Amino acid sequence: MAPILVARHVTKRFGGLVAVNDLDFEIEEHAIASVIGPNGAGKTTFFNCITGFYVPEEGTITFEGKEIQGLRPDKITSMGIARTYQNIRLFAKMSAIENVMVGMHPRLSLHWWDAVVHTPAFVRQERRVLRRAWELLDYIGLADWANHQANSLPYGAQRRLEIARALASEPKLLLLDEPTAGMNPQETAEMIEFIRKLRDDWDLTILLIEHDMKVVMTISEKITVLDFGTKIAEGKPEDIQRNPRVIEAYLGRGAASGLPTAQAADSAA
Amino acid sequence: MQATTWRSTIKAGLLTGVIALYVALTGMVLSLSKRPVVDKLSLGHVVYMLVFVVMGYLTARRSSWRTTRPALVPVQGLVVGGIGAALLALLPVFGQQVDLSWIFVTTKPNLYKFLLFNQESMAVGVAYLVLTGAALGGIAALLPILPEVLHQGLLYGAGFTLLLGVLSDLAQRTVLKVVLKPLFAYKGLKPSGALILFVVLSVLFGLRHWWLQRQRERSTMEVILGERPAWARGVQQGLLLGFLLILPVWLLNKDAYLNSVVNLVNLYIIMGLGLNIVVGFAGLLDLGYVAFFAIGAYTVALMTSTGDLGHGYTFWQALPLAVILALVAGVVLGIPVLRMRGDYLAIVTLGFGEIIRILANSDWLKPFMGGALGVLDIPKPALGNLVLKEEYQLYYLILAGIFITWFIATRLYHSRVGRAWQALREDEDVAEAMGIHLVTTKLLAFGFGAAFSGLSGAIFAAKVGSVYPHTFNLIISINVLSLIIVGGIGSLPGVVVGALALVGLPELLREFSEYRMLFYGIALITMMLVKPEGFWPKKLNVYSRPQDDTGPATP
Ligand SMILES: Nc1ncnc2c1ncn2[C@@H]1O[C@H](COP(=O)(O)OP(=O)(O)OP(=O)(O)O)[C@@H](O)[C@H]1O
Ligand SMILES: [Mg+2]
């Protein structure tokens, strides 16, 4: 299958710091792939380059054959890329369902005068928005929280709501920044199942950043490892596991807890 | 735990004393003492006594004993009020030995006499003062430990009784005088009248609280059961509309003064509804809002004036242009600040506001805009042969303005644009990442805000008949912003409440005009402490599941 997203020689610097260094990356349509790496490796920065938060100094990013680097974030989202955030960034004072409704924004077309006059098209569209928002909340299991303020939801629910909000924009590529951060093993297992289901139900391509090695190994079809902004390895989970450079990158920082172990690989296989 | 609570109580008492001293030293107390509220109790008394009441009340509300040892809470209030009053008492005690008037011009013997309740003996006077302070603090501290219905009922009952007492001559000018007359003396309430009003109002407000409580429980049920029957809303809105339509001629008796105050409040409501879109919905802090008011006013002034500067158009010809010019100005001034956030935005917009005023005042534009002399002879709007020259007639024009702006604001709020504004307010970066075009979204907010302000300014010019540059100063922007905050940011009914409290009240209490800014400060601080979300906060919208199934579920 053709890659849906291709990055070539992407470099992003902050002053003297090279956060992403000459990165080549691609992801196949309908795949689930992961980007891993120690803290500060440049994973989130790479996401930010894809979604238009940052403009890379060098390189190109191509989505469905069109170059997107340097486009405005809202433009990129309309093209079909949606994301969630490492530290949850919901619209805190809006209700859960309103968050989802905002997510639909790029798929709606009517203007303010339609809203003032309540043209038939507007009424139809708003009805559709409402129905769809409820559907999404049902799908994600948050219908009971629909009319609650987003920041009053339990932590796990907030993470799922972020996903629902991203889905509302009808993306083709979904970027998840550490979707299981702060979850217990039970919730983590559920989230893994959920991510798979997401891909199948919505015909999505999913790229995630993950710290939990077990999650990464279980779910990913391809793993890209970053260290100091540079890609040091790429491949199938079992290859990454045995890659000495990866082990060193993790062990060298003393991040033993993050070390991919043989057991994890076994249980994953 | 115990010790710290007592220590903080004493601290609150000292703070109370400092505030009371401050209030006394501003000169407010004496200058307000000529307006009786209830019998011999004057507004001057009320002002400094309110310090004890508010502080006692706040101490109680924040007390950690509220749930664990409620019996001690009134004692805390007693201590706070007592210490505060004792500190205040130091002023006359000390001041009668040493002449302080070379530092504080307001420290005159008659201030001391007033604070000591005109008692001959200082000891008796001081005792009165301290006992009054302690009693007020203690009683106020009782409120938070009472059941909510009583608490809210008594609180609002007392507040509105005092308010009616203060506004006694106004209350007697309206149609309600038939009912109210027996309660009032020549000025201020009779003690018996005050008692009756207090009881009645407390019961009413208690019932209101109980009703709202019930509504709240019900609205969650509504989500499950479907929407509230439409006729209930219809009746409610019909009654409100009826009241608004007969307000100036019936309730206010076509009284020119009262109607002019109402009109001013209403013009501020239109501005408030506009700024609320910018600040409340979209979260863009705009301090130059008066600029658009000025543009609207000057457009109407210059186009319609029958003087040298005017061009002889009618009000109705000038009005659309005034709104459009203000809108364009809003958008144009919005462009340079698109990339700015928060404080920077506030400062730059503040500058814009001043530029417009300075331009209007400049010698350069004097041949066209009249400079400091302003534009005079602006005719009143006419409907056919009917010239809207009386305040009660203009009322309807302004009311129509409120309806239109309210309608547009509500419609926009519940639409794609409205949701985009809110998202922008919550998190600009994420909003952009959700596909929201920041430039159009922001400019729409600036444009609508400015257009509403222009509309208000246009009517204002016709209402007052002349405009001068100095009318349009920063204070207006601050007033509008404050009334939004006091009412509850983002809330449309909040704008009304805010305008009534911050524009209507000071206008009615003329003695206050000198202390207007102080009054704003007090209102804002009190609100931050008692009701940080505003007096009529924005409620979360409730969306029920669509019942009908008329269209396909997927796009
Ligand atoms: N806006 C910024 N300005 C300056 N430096 C930045 C900025 N954003 C990120 N960085 C730096 O770039 C490097 C990469 O950061 P990034 O957030 O991409 O790491 P990460 O791989 O997502 O790490 P983590 O696992 O902790 O989330 C870090 O050293 C970070 O301090
Ligand atoms: Mg990160």
Side-chain angles (χ1 to χ4, degrees):
Chain A
M1 226 183 255
I4 185 167
L5 182 91
V6 181
R8 290 279 171 256
H9 306 294
V10 171
T11 301
K12 175 71 203 164
R13 301 190 189 88
F14 294 112
L17 178 91
V18 188
V20 176
N21 188 8
D22 196 29
L23 180 66
D24 279 330
F25 176 86
E26 50 189 64
I27 181 168
E28 304 282 307
E29 217 175 322
H30 209 58
I32 298 182
S34 308
V35 179
I36 65 169
N39 288 105
K43 307 180 294 287
T44 300
T45 304
F46 180 49
F47 267 28
N48 284 335
C49 289
I50 299 175
T51 52
F53 268 29
Y54 296 149
V55 183
E57 274 82 26
E58 286 160 35
T60 57
I61 301 173
T62 318
F63 177 68
E64 292 193 312
K66 289 184 275 290
E67 287 198 9
I68 57 168
Q69 78 278 5
L71 292 183
R72 278 196 326 264
D74 57 290
K75 200 86 197 4
I76 294 174
T77 306
S78 326
M79 293 172 76
I81 300 181
R83 70 174 293 185
T84 66
Y85 298 83
Q86 183 169 356
N87 42 345
I88 299 170
R89 286 176 84 170
L90 288 164
F91 301 120
K93 295 239 173 72
M94 299 172 79
S95 65
I97 193 165
E98 282 172 328
N99 269 270
V100 177
M101 289 162 115
V102 172
M104 279 176 230
H105 189 92
R107 301 295 159 230
L108 309 178
S109 53
L110 296 173
H111 292 284
W112 61 265
W113 52 84
D114 294 291
V116 172
V117 184
H118 269 196
T119 54
F122 174 84
V123 175
R124 238 176 294 129
Q125 188 182 63
E126 281 301 295
R127 256 197 219 130
R128 202 185 78 216
V129 167
L130 195 61
R131 180 170 307 116
R132 192 128 178 81
W134 277 105
E135 278 171 11
L136 275 163
L137 288 175
D138 282 333
Y139 177 77
I140 211 112
L142 290 181
D144 289 345
W145 292 97
N147 287 308
H148 287 74
Q149 200 164 293
N151 61 358
S152 72
L153 267 58
Y155 180 80
Q158 291 196 23
R159 283 228 169 267
R160 278 183 291 151
L161 181 57
E162 257 203 335
I163 295 178
R165 183 179 66 178
L167 288 176
S169 71
E170 295 167 25
K172 295 169 198 145
L173 172 64
L174 180 62
L175 310 178
L176 304 174
D177 199 341
E178 303 200 16
T180 67
M183 289 189 171
N184 64 33
Q186 161 81 22
E187 290 168 327
T188 303
E190 282 170 15
M191 183 54 89
I192 293 177
E193 268 322 297
F194 181 64
I195 291 174
R196 283 216 180 95
K197 189 164 134 57
L198 264 186
R199 189 253 312 257
D200 298 336
D201 289 353
W202 298 78
D203 200 21
L204 284 173
T205 309
I206 296 180
L207 175 60
L208 56 143
I209 295 176
E210 198 36 89
H211 262 304
D212 188 323
M213 279 306 145
K214 205 166 160 218
V215 176
V216 176
M217 297 299 158
T218 320
I219 203 174
S220 323
E221 286 145 22
K222 188 182 90 169
I223 297 175
T224 305
V225 190
L226 295 187
D227 192 20
F228 289 119
T230 310
K231 180 161 86 178
I232 57 169
E234 190 163 56
K236 294 210 162 62
E238 50 278 19
D239 301 335
I240 295 299
Q241 206 124 47
R242 299 196 195 91
N243 188 317
R245 285 194 67 185
V246 177
I247 296 175
E248 190 207 295
Y250 274 83
L251 255 187
R253 282 323 120 58
S257 59
L259 177 71
T261 60
Q263 276 108 326
D266 290 344
S267 63
Chain B
M1 181 69 202
Q2 286 237 1
T4 50
T5 308
W6 283 123
R7 205 176 308 144
S8 66
T9 307
I10 291 169
K11 260 196 222 157
L14 295 175
L15 181 63
T16 308
V18 173
I19 299 174
L21 278 171
Y22 176 76
V23 169
L25 289 174
T26 56
M28 237 173 154
V29 170
L30 262 197
S31 67
L32 298 180
S33 68
K34 273 156 225 105
R35 194 189 267 259
V37 180
V38 180
D39 201 28
K40 290 206 179 56
L41 188 77
S42 76
L43 190 53
H45 290 114
V46 170
V47 162
Y48 78 84
M49 287 179 180
L50 265 184
V51 177
F52 307 134
V53 172
V54 171
M55 290 301 287
Y57 177 71
L58 285 178
T59 310
R61 266 180 56 143
R62 301 171 153 224
S63 169
S64 48
W65 285 335
R66 228 177 115 179
T67 42
T68 50
R69 306 173 65 183
L72 279 180
V73 174
V75 182
Q76 275 183 297
L78 220 72
V79 173
V80 169
I83 294 180
L87 267 182
L88 180 62
L90 287 180
L91 182 64
V93 170
F94 192 63
Q96 283 183 352
Q97 320 301 324
V98 192
D99 179 22
L100 293 173
S101 61
W102 57 281
I103 316 177
F104 302 112
V105 283
T106 55
T107 51
K108 301 267 163 53
N110 48 356
L111 173 67
Y112 303 149
K113 263 183 75 184
F114 181 79
L115 287 178
L116 298 179
F117 297 92
N118 294 325
Q119 293 301 314
E120 286 302 317
S121 136
M122 166 133 18
V124 178
V126 169
Y128 271 21
L129 181 55
V130 174
L131 284 179
T132 310
L136 289 173
I139 292 171
L142 271 174
L143 287 179
I145 54 173
L146 294 175
E148 270 305 286
V149 172
L150 271 178
H151 171 186
Q152 299 293 338
L154 293 174
L155 187 64
Y156 281 96
F160 277 83
T161 306
L162 284 180
L163 194 63
L164 276 174
V166 174
L167 302 176
S168 67
D169 43 341
L170 297 179
Q172 295 179 66
R173 267 185 178 178
T174 67
V175 167
L176 293 180
K177 68 181 168 214
V178 193
V179 193
L180 293 178
K181 196 86 199 165
L183 305 176
F184 286 92
Y186 170 60
K187 281 204 151 199
L189 283 161
K190 291 179 194 156
S192 58
L195 192 67
I196 294 171
L197 259 186
F198 173 61
V199 172
V200 172
L201 288 174
S202 298
V203 170
L204 286 181
F205 278 105
L207 283 175
R208 175 176 167 274
H209 182 80
W210 171 80
W211 172 249
L212 286 181
Q213 227 32 56
R214 241 181 64 128
Q215 286 277 317
R216 205 160 301 156
E217 279 155 29
R218 208 152 355 101
S219 79
T220 16
M221 286 300 285
E222 264 170 34
V223 184
I224 303 161
L225 298 177
E227 282 181 80
R228 167 158 62 139
W231 62 264
R233 277 184 70 94
V235 168
Q236 233 173 22
Q237 291 181 348
L239 283 176
L240 182 65
L241 179 70
F243 173 75
L244 289 175
L245 286 179
I246 58 172
L247 172 72
V249 273
W250 172 73
L251 185 64
L252 302 183
N253 257 337
K254 299 191 180 176
D255 184 297
Y257 169 62
L258 287 184
N259 275 309
S260 88
V261 173
V262 170
N263 284 345
L264 190 68
V265 170
N266 285 352
L267 285 173
Y268 267 97
I269 290 178
I270 297 181
M271 277 197 276
L273 290 172
L275 189 62
N276 189 48
I277 291 183
V278 184
V279 179
F281 293 174
L284 304 161
L285 190 50
D286 183 349
L287 289 184
Y289 193 60
V290 68
F292 313 114
F293 184 70
I295 289 172
Y298 263 95
T299 308
V300 163
L302 291 172
M303 283 184 73
T304 66
S305 166
T306 53
D308 298 338
L309 295 163
H311 293 85
Y313 292 96
T314 69
F315 174 78
W316 302 108
Q317 288 167 324
L319 183 67
L321 193 70
V323 174
I324 290 170
L325 278 183
L327 187 147
V328 171
V331 172
V332 170
L333 295 187
I335 291 170
V337 297
L338 282 172
R339 285 276 142 212
M340 289 176 196
R341 295 183 189 189
D343 317 350
Y344 296 98
L345 181 63
I347 296 295
V348 175
T349 50
L350 190 138
F352 284 152
E354 289 297 279
I355 288 174
I356 298 288
R357 184 173 63 82
I358 290 166
L359 276 181
N361 207 355
S362 66
D363 285 337
W364 173 52
L365 287 174
K366 193 166 179 183
F368 313 103
M369 302 182 69
L373 297 176
V375 186
L376 313 176
D377 303 319
I378 305 166
K380 298 277 184 255
L383 284 172
N385 284 331
L386 174 68
V387 179
L388 306 179
K389 57 181 188 301
E390 299 294 333
E391 289 289 342
Y392 77 86
Q393 295 169 322
L394 285 165
Y395 168 91
Y396 293 101
L397 175 63
I398 304 174
L399 188 66
I402 294 185
F403 283 155
I404 292 171
T405 46
W406 187 291
F407 178 80
I408 294 178
T410 318
R411 284 271 165 109
L412 290 175
Y413 181 72
H414 294 285
S415 79
R416 174 178 187 244
V417 181
R419 293 190 293 264
W421 282 336
Q422 295 172 71
L424 188 70
R425 176 192 70 203
E426 296 296 312
D427 191 329
E428 191 168 322
D429 293 326
V430 179
E432 193 178 18
M434 283 334 295
I436 291 166
H437 192 339
L438 292 186
V439 174
T440 38
T441 309
K442 284 187 179 182
L443 291 184
L444 268 177
F446 282 128
F448 275 107
F452 288 11
S453 188
L455 173 68
S456 182
I459 303 176
F460 172 79
K463 168 177 140 69
V464 297
S466 49
V467 295
Y468 307 94
H470 68 251
T471 312
F472 305 103
N473 72 41
L474 177 63
I475 295 297
I476 295 190
S477 300
I478 294 178
N479 286 352
V480 182
L481 188 62
S482 314
L483 73 87
I484 291 178
I485 296 172
V486 166
I489 199 143
S491 146
L492 302 195
V495 171
V496 177
V497 176
L500 285 172
L502 292 193
V503 181
L505 263 191
E507 205 62 37
L508 292 177
L509 301 168
R510 292 236 194 76
E511 292 95 324
F512 262 125
S513 61
E514 207 178 315
Y515 308 101
R516 193 164 179 144
M517 283 297 125
L518 190 68
F519 180 73
Y520 273 40
I522 292 173
L524 282 171
I525 293 172
T526 313
M527 195 212 65
M528 296 294 171
L529 292 171
V530 182
K531 261 182 140 0
E533 72 285 13
F535 284 112
W536 194 316
K538 175 92 203 66
K539 272 189 288 184
L540 215 55
N541 301 312
V542 173
Y543 298 86
S544 33
R545 268 177 199 278
Q547 304 292 319
D548 58 329
D549 242 68
T550 46
T554 40

